[in-house]
Amino acid sequence: MNAERVTLRKMTSAEYHAAAEHREAESVRVLGKFMPEELARERFRHGTATFLPDGVDTAGHHLVMAENGSGEVVGNAWIGPDPGQASGTADSAWLYDINVFEPFRRRGYGSAILAAAEELVAREGRTALALDVVGGNEAAIAMYRHSGYEVSSMSMRKNL
């Protein structure tokens, strides 16, 4: 199902803190499979301090809320510089996080937010948008593939 287009706007301070709490919980959940929970939480907080030293006002980063045509907030995203030029070009941006709120899932809003993020970075003169996705997140992987994203590298792991 295709959702309508979304409009991106800058997060408020309260929205930023709520999004950060959600990102932390998700990061700890994922990283907790590979390390102790407290280490996962510490790693997340260090990364946030490094990448977003000024929170929602960090230069070069877009922490945005997505609104549908009715003005409902359907999700959010964090778009910024490619960390370490992981995709191999200074002209690329990085999608650090994308989230569709529960009542709006499975209605095409993920693709709509992704398309709006792509438009945002293209307006800035960027020629690519790169991201990481958790290997077991089949819905996200399918959405990215449907939107034209291709695997550029892959990490694998086996617990022994």
Side-chain angles (χ1 to χ4, degrees):
M1 177 185 315
N2 288 338
E4 58 191 283
R5 293 177 53 87
V6 297
T7 303
L8 301 181
R9 65 163 174 78
K10 183 177 178 178
M11 288 180 180
T12 65
S13 181
E15 290 167 335
Y16 170 77
H17 290 294
E21 286 179 13
H22 178 265
R23 275 195 321 275
E24 180 172 357
E26 281 300 298
S27 294
V28 169
R29 183 184 65 78
V30 171
L31 292 174
K33 296 175 185 175
F34 309 108
M35 64 184 67
E37 182 178 321
E38 196 48 45
L39 181 58
R41 193 170 307 286
E42 181 182 315
R43 179 178 266 178
F44 171 83
R45 290 179 178 163
H46 173 50
T48 298
T50 300
F51 288 107
L52 295 172
D54 297 319
V56 72
D57 295 317
T58 300
H61 290 262
H62 301 281
L63 293 128
V64 295
M65 302 303 290
E67 295 180 348
N68 66 15
S70 301
E72 297 171 297
V73 176
V74 299
N76 59 39
W78 169 16
I79 307 122
D82 187 340
Q85 300 308 320
S87 67
T89 173
D91 292 330
S92 65
W94 193 263
L95 182 64
Y96 289 85
D97 191 36
I98 184 171
N99 184 37
V100 176
F101 298 147
E102 187 65 41
F104 300 99
R105 291 189 181 152
R106 312 285 309 153
R107 293 169 47 189
Y109 284 112
S111 296
I113 296 169
L114 184 59
E118 292 168 357
E119 291 172 11
L120 186 150
V121 299
R123 282 193 307 271
E124 293 182 332
R126 305 279 184 180
T127 58
L129 181 61
L131 56 89
D132 277 336
V133 61
V134 176
N137 191 342
E138 298 300 329
I141 292 168
M143 177 188 73
Y144 295 130
R145 286 195 169 137
H146 181 74
S147 295
Y149 286 75
E150 299 175 344
V151 174
S152 59
S153 68
M154 185 181 296
S155 296
M156 298 179 81
R157 175 187 175 100
K158 177 181 179 182
N159 288 334
L160 304 176

